Amino acid sequence: SFTISLHKADNTTVMIKLKPGLSPSCRIRMKNVIRPELKIKPGENVTFTFTCSTPEKYFIMEIQKNIDCVSGPCPFGDVHLYPLGLPRLNRTYIWDVKASTKAGLELKFSTSWLRQIEPGETCPDSVSYSISSCIYKAMVNIGTFCRNGSVSRIKLLGGVVMSLHLPWHLPLTTSGFNIANRASIKRLCIIESVLKGESSITLMSPNYPLGFPEDELMTWQFVIPSNMRASVFFHNYSLSNCERKEERVEYYIPGSPSNPEVFKLSDSQPANIAGSFNMSLQGCDQDAQNPGILRLLFQVVIQHPQVDENVTHLVDLSKEKNMTMTIHLEGWPSRIPVMSEPMCLICKDPRTCDRVLTLTSGAVYRISFLCKDLSRLRITAEKGIGCMDIRWCQRKIYSLSVPKAITRLPIRLHKFIWKLLASDLINVEITSPSLKLQQHVSEQKCNTSYSYSIVSATPETELNVGLFCPGGSIEKIQMRNNITISLKTFGKGFINESTPQDLKMSFVPHIKDECTFTVSPNPKAEVYLQTPNSPYGLPPYVSISWFIVVPSKQTAHLRFSEDRMGIACETGRAYINIKEETLGAEEIVCREDELLPQPRNMHHDFWVNVSNCRPVDKTQLTLQFRVTFADKQIDLGIIFGVVAGAGVLTAIGLTVYCVKKKKKKTQNPMVGVYNANVNTQMPGKKGLFGKGRQNNESHVYAVIDDAVVYGHLLKESNGSVTPEVDVYRPFDGPMGSLPPSPPPFSFRKNIKCSSNTEEEPLPLTDTDQDTYTFAHQKSGQSEDNGDANKKDKGDTSVPLLENKERDGLVE
């Protein structure tokens, strides 16, 4: 059984009741009367027992002591836990002290000072203090605190309600605080914190997260050794709607020439404060209709002064345009450091420091660091370059290199972003003339300390061009739309490697493809190239081209990594076009339902073009190919053949010379003779021809000796007739620099993926002119021409001249 005896003068009441939400399976028995709860008033002596062996699971106990400091003297001094001999239950001691608003009360805590916690947070040892103040019959929650903190004293105006919550298993015998009388403090409360070594403290305004009382003033006093540095950070705050006055924060810093220093809650708060200081929060007269809420949660960090705290670093951004530079902790902004982590502060001036500092172009800054380990800091910068009129920016070349103002700082660069903006008809060209770029693929990974990520974007689509690093073969990339280039570092060697940065950018007129690469490899190089947007595949209807430069005296070997494109088209067709940049070169065209070209050797510069269709679901166009280079092999058989052929040609030339010399003495020059026996009707549509080309000789001039036919006409003119002749000359004009154009989607039907496929003759139209073939008559063959033509396996319906003209068009 338990006996509780209360003195009437103590003005103490004990209440034992069931925990909320529990069924009354355990009760209190007093004088054979069973009851669910028990209240013992001042002056009573009660003996009772519980009907169960574990009453701590069901009951809680409140011990409330009322102290009147208005009508009589206050019992100042240490506060004891009374009465003794209570049952082992979760218990709450409450001291309700009533005092005049003209007087102040001070709660002074023992060496185990307090630490304020947020609402809903619990203390590790389950021992907590709740402090409230009574102003004009309104209760204000000063805060909830745990043991082992830095709050040493709390001064309040008027009355106070102090609660101590203890678990049933903790045999605590002292309250840990005393009450003292003080003069009026003329504000809601003063909370004093003593901070000795490197540490941090989190504090909240009264009633947090609810509103701070209207037009009230409170102060936090921070007692800090003079050889330490303090910094204040506001982590969460909101403002009320003021009718009069302005909500503000005031600092009183010993030695400051401008005490008090006034700040808005939205300002960066003072940092690097030497020694003790006070901070006050002032409310305002709120709008009665829409008062809003004034609340504040902040942190004070105490650090040793750094060895280089007086060392300033010059950051000259005066010549930069459209650039921002942010110094931050590693992992920012996704990772927010916990408050207990050692602080790394960046200071724009001795008193303006923060965890994150952003500098803008057009100014010169002197910054310092309040941080033990600068390796935890990173730099992220962004620069914008735009062109809205090609006439003003076409000839400009922009350097995409990291400014020296960044590389000279003792902070590692994390990322530098260039945003290149242009109008619809202006495109971007990126060049790396000396270092060149290497595309990062699984077979050829980048191992440098930095890389470039290139993204081409429009409001509708985004094309991830790829990841690139210096030291490759890609000399130039031309892209449409707006471009974002991100340089990201991976190690400490960036500053050394980046000294010869040569990435440059210029704006160029509109290009046909979404992206065009110019690949200029070194001799005997091995280049791996891949379509952009891997592994998600090219967007629908996107066309990509590569122009590969083959070094002189070298042969390029082109090989695709797969046998097929691996997609099925829902709309349109996907094509691969390959063509060498040389006269008479054939164009290889493959469709998505055909095998990709077999590995082949390319002896001249060549184009590779990939054009996508709209693939069906779950199929994506991703292609990779490899280009290797080797020295050209000279075949000795060819050399001997050429020498032998030259000898034969020399012999033939001598024979012809001798024959011509002989003929010149006896015969007049040969002329073309018109044959009146052939059909001379002008060719038109196919239906107008009675015969085909193979059995129609209208296109043939027979060249014979003028002495045999029409010789009498030559004699009558005294040999003065000069025959008109014409000479066919092959096309030798300039070659184009554009990639091979894939066939239009509406006409791509019967194109074969083979270099040996014979071309069908072009159909004659209404305006087609007949084409003539010049044939030299040889002795003994004048009568066999028809048979020889029939034996020829080639298509004689397309004459030689027509083939030449078609080759010229293709080229």
Side-chain angles (χ1 to χ4, degrees):
S1 62
F2 301 93
T3 300
I4 298 177
S5 179
L6 300 177
H7 299 290
K8 191 171 185 178
D10 290 334
N11 204 12
T12 300
T13 301
V14 176
M15 183 75 180
I16 302 174
K17 56 186 177 180
L18 285 169
K19 292 182 179 180
L22 292 182
S23 59
S25 56
C26 184
R27 294 174 179 255
I28 300 172
R29 179 183 289 115
M30 187 180 68
K31 296 180 180 181
N32 297 325
V33 176
I34 296 177
R35 57 182 66 188
E37 60 182 32
L38 176 62
K39 183 176 183 180
I40 307 172
K41 299 178 180 179
E44 292 184 349
N45 189 348
V46 177
T47 301
F48 62 94
T49 60
F50 295 100
T51 60
C52 62
S53 60
T54 56
E56 66 275 4
K57 296 181 179 179
Y58 304 96
F59 291 96
I60 58 174
M61 183 166 49
E62 291 182 357
I63 304 99
Q64 180 170 334
K65 180 178 178 64
N66 297 320
I67 302 173
D68 186 2
C69 294
V70 176
S71 57
C74 286
F76 297 120
D78 293 336
V79 176
H80 302 283
L81 300 182
Y82 173 84
L84 301 176
L86 297 175
R88 291 164 59 88
L89 303 176
N90 291 341
R91 55 204 183 276
T92 301
Y93 291 90
I94 302 173
W95 294 271
D96 187 354
V97 182
K98 292 179 171 57
S100 171
T101 55
K102 296 180 181 180
L105 293 176
E106 179 183 280
L107 303 178
K108 187 176 181 180
F109 303 96
S110 60
T111 53
S112 178
W113 294 330
L114 304 186
R115 173 177 62 88
Q116 189 172 8
I117 60 174
E118 297 185 47
E121 189 178 350
T122 59
C123 298
D125 58 0
S126 300
V127 177
S128 63
Y129 294 85
S130 297
I131 304 173
S132 299
S133 179
C134 182
I135 299 179
Y136 308 116
K137 297 182 179 180
M139 296 299 297
V140 178
N141 179 21
I142 303 299
T144 302
F145 301 82
C146 300
R147 297 192 296 179
N148 301 318
S150 62
V151 177
S152 58
R153 290 188 297 179
I154 298 179
K155 302 173 185 179
L156 303 111
L157 182 66
V160 61
V161 177
M162 178 75 172
S163 301
L164 172 61
H165 306 277
L166 298 176
W168 66 271
H169 56 81
L170 189 64
L172 195 64
T173 57
T174 59
S175 65
F177 70 97
N178 62 45
I179 300 177
N181 186 16
R182 288 293 180 265
S184 175
I185 58 176
K186 299 180 181 180
R187 61 198 67 203
L188 175 62
C189 65
I190 299 175
I191 299 177
E192 179 186 88
S193 294
V194 179
L195 299 157
K196 294 182 178 180
E198 284 198 337
S199 60
S200 69
I201 178 175
T202 302
L203 296 165
M204 287 143 273
S205 59
N207 281 343
Y208 186 88
L210 302 179
F212 186 69
E214 181 180 6
D215 195 24
E216 279 293 342
L217 172 67
M218 73 159 294
T219 298
W220 290 272
Q221 293 180 340
F222 300 98
V223 181
I224 302 168
S226 59
N227 63 341
M228 303 296 289
R229 300 292 182 265
S231 302
V232 181
F233 301 96
F234 286 4
H235 294 294
N236 188 16
Y237 69 89
S238 63
L239 303 175
S240 57
N241 298 315
C242 298
E243 281 190 345
R244 292 186 303 159
K245 302 182 183 179
E246 185 180 9
E247 295 165 337
R248 62 190 185 274
V249 180
E250 298 179 354
Y251 291 87
Y252 180 84
I253 302 174
S256 173
S258 57
N259 280 323
E261 297 184 17
V262 181
F263 291 79
K264 295 180 180 180
L265 275 74
S266 58
D267 294 336
S268 293
Q269 304 303 309
N272 204 20
I273 303 172
S276 302
F277 68 97
N278 294 350
M279 168 184 156
S280 298
L281 176 64
Q282 173 68 63
C284 67
D285 291 334
Q286 298 173 351
D287 185 353
Q289 301 299 324
N290 184 21
I293 292 177
L294 171 61
R295 60 185 172 190
L296 173 63
L297 182 147
F298 67 99
Q299 181 187 18
V300 178
V301 178
I302 310 302
Q303 294 174 286
H304 285 291
Q306 304 304 309
V307 175
D308 58 347
E309 68 168 332
N310 294 323
V311 177
T312 59
H313 301 270
L314 182 68
V315 182
D316 187 358
L317 303 180
S318 59
K319 296 181 181 179
E320 298 293 338
K321 295 181 180 179
N322 301 322
M323 175 180 160
T324 61
M325 167 185 163
T326 302
I327 306 175
H328 55 85
L329 280 172
E330 185 179 10
W332 174 89
S334 58
R335 178 186 175 272
I336 299 176
V338 296
M339 296 182 184
S340 58
E341 281 189 21
M343 293 289 286
C344 260
L345 303 179
I346 309 102
C347 303
K348 191 162 56 174
D349 57 61
R351 289 277 303 283
T352 305
C353 305
D354 208 337
R355 288 180 170 179
V356 178
L357 177 63
T358 298
L359 308 177
T360 58
S361 56
V364 179
Y365 304 89
R366 295 184 180 274
I367 64 173
S368 60
F369 301 99
L370 195 60
C371 181
K372 279 188 173 181
D373 186 7
L374 293 181
S375 65
R376 298 173 57 204
L377 294 176
R378 296 289 184 271
I379 296 175
T380 297
E382 182 175 307
K383 183 179 179 67
I385 303 175
C387 178
M388 298 296 110
D389 190 339
I390 193 65
R391 294 175 298 176
W392 296 104
C393 44
Q394 182 175 7
R395 297 183 180 180
K396 291 184 179 179
I397 299 177
Y398 301 87
S399 175
L400 302 185
S401 58
V402 180
K404 292 182 179 179
I406 293 178
T407 57
R408 288 172 178 171
L409 289 175
I411 308 299
R412 191 175 124 192
L413 175 67
H414 170 62
K415 186 180 290 187
F416 198 106
I417 302 171
W418 290 275
K419 291 192 173 181
L420 314 178
L421 307 177
S423 60
D424 293 340
L425 297 180
I426 303 175
N427 300 135
V428 172
E429 178 178 285
I430 299 170
T431 60
S432 180
S434 59
L435 294 179
K436 300 182 184 179
L437 297 177
Q438 172 192 320
Q439 187 174 13
H440 178 85
V441 296
S442 57
E443 289 79 6
Q444 201 170 48
K445 296 181 179 180
C446 292
N447 57 3
T448 55
S449 64
Y450 67 100
S451 66
Y452 298 100
S453 171
I454 303 178
V455 177
S456 170
T458 63
E460 296 81 16
T461 60
E462 181 175 286
L463 179 67
N464 183 8
V465 178
L467 194 67
F468 303 87
C469 57
S473 301
I474 300 174
E475 186 175 335
K476 181 170 62 177
I477 306 176
Q478 290 180 319
M479 293 166 286
R480 291 164 59 179
N481 310 321
N482 295 327
I483 309 299
T484 299
I485 302 176
S486 301
L487 183 152
K488 186 175 181 181
T489 64
F490 300 100
K492 297 180 180 179
F494 166 73
I495 296 177
N496 296 328
E497 283 189 19
S498 65
T499 303
Q501 288 181 80
D502 74 333
L503 198 65
K504 302 184 186 314
M505 186 277 302
S506 59
F507 293 101
V508 296
H510 189 71
I511 62 174
K512 181 181 67 173
D513 297 324
E514 274 74 12
C515 188
T516 300
F517 299 85
T518 299
V519 183
S520 180
N522 297 322
K524 299 184 179 180
E526 185 176 28
V527 183
Y528 287 86
L529 299 169
Q530 184 171 269
T531 52
N533 228 46
S534 179
Y536 306 105
L538 280 180
Y541 307 122
V542 166
S543 179
I544 307 294
S545 292
W546 292 265
F547 180 67
I548 292 96
V549 177
V550 179
S552 60
K553 301 180 181 180
Q554 294 259 303
T555 299
H557 186 73
L558 172 65
R559 176 187 292 270
F560 287 90
S561 59
E562 302 293 338
D563 295 332
R564 293 181 178 271
M565 294 191 199
I567 63 168
C569 290
E570 179 181 329
T571 307
R573 289 289 192 181
Y575 286 89
I576 292 180
N577 298 57
I578 304 172
K579 186 179 180 182
E580 284 188 286
E581 279 281 285
T582 185
L583 186 66
E586 60 181 349
E587 183 172 355
I588 302 168
V589 183
C590 286
R591 224 166 42 192
E592 84 282 349
D593 56 352
E594 298 172 333
L595 289 173
L596 293 179
Q598 293 296 316
R600 61 182 51 241
N601 291 328
M602 315 296 284
H603 302 283
H604 305 87
D605 302 346
F606 63 97
W607 287 93
V608 176
N609 174 270
V610 177
S611 302
N612 197 14
C613 59
R614 179 179 290 279
V616 299
D617 292 339
K618 298 182 180 179
T619 61
Q620 303 293 342
L621 177 55
T622 299
L623 286 178
Q624 184 184 108
F625 59 93
R626 183 184 67 173
V627 183
T628 56
F629 297 86
D631 294 334
K632 290 183 179 179
Q633 300 296 325
I634 301 177
D635 193 345
L636 295 178
I638 294 177
I639 297 176
F640 292 140
V642 169
V643 173
V648 172
L649 290 176
T650 303
I652 293 174
L654 292 174
T655 304
V656 171
Y657 176 77
C658 294
V659 172
K660 283 188 175 182
K661 290 281 288 184
K662 182 177 181 181
K663 282 189 176 183
K664 279 185 178 181
K665 297 178 181 179
T666 59
Q667 295 181 354
N668 292 322
M670 293 190 300
V671 297
V673 180
Y674 174 71
N675 186 357
N677 295 325
V678 299
N679 182 10
T680 60
Q681 182 180 1
M682 180 179 179
K685 293 184 179 179
K686 187 175 183 181
L688 300 179
F689 262 123
K691 297 180 180 181
R693 298 281 288 181
Q694 291 185 355
N695 51 15
N696 188 335
E697 297 181 351
S698 62
H699 60 292
V700 178
Y701 272 106
V703 180
I704 59 178
D705 290 347
D706 58 327
V708 180
V709 182
Y710 302 131
H712 63 285
L713 296 178
L714 295 175
K715 292 178 181 180
E716 293 176 0
S717 61
N718 297 323
S720 61
V721 174
T722 302
E724 295 182 2
V725 296
D726 195 6
V727 179
Y728 173 74
R729 294 179 177 87
F731 175 74
D732 56 0
M735 299 295 293
S737 61
L738 293 176
S741 300
F745 286 103
S746 58
F747 294 103
R748 298 176 183 175
K749 293 181 179 180
N750 299 319
I751 301 175
K752 299 295 183 180
C753 184
S754 174
S755 61
N756 299 322
T757 302
E758 299 179 0
E759 296 185 357
E760 296 181 2
L762 297 175
L764 292 174
T765 63
D766 293 339
T767 60
D768 283 340
Q769 299 288 336
D770 202 359
T771 307
Y772 293 91
T773 301
F774 290 87
H776 288 278
Q777 182 180 11
K778 298 180 181 179
S779 60
Q781 293 183 357
S782 60
E783 297 178 359
D784 298 334
N785 280 342
D787 295 337
N789 289 337
K790 290 180 182 179
K791 292 177 182 179
D792 188 7
K793 295 182 181 180
D795 189 358
T796 60
S797 63
V798 182
L800 176 62
L801 182 59
E802 189 172 340
N803 279 334
K804 290 286 185 178
E805 290 175 349
R806 184 177 303 171
D807 288 344
L809 291 175
V810 172
E811 293 162 8

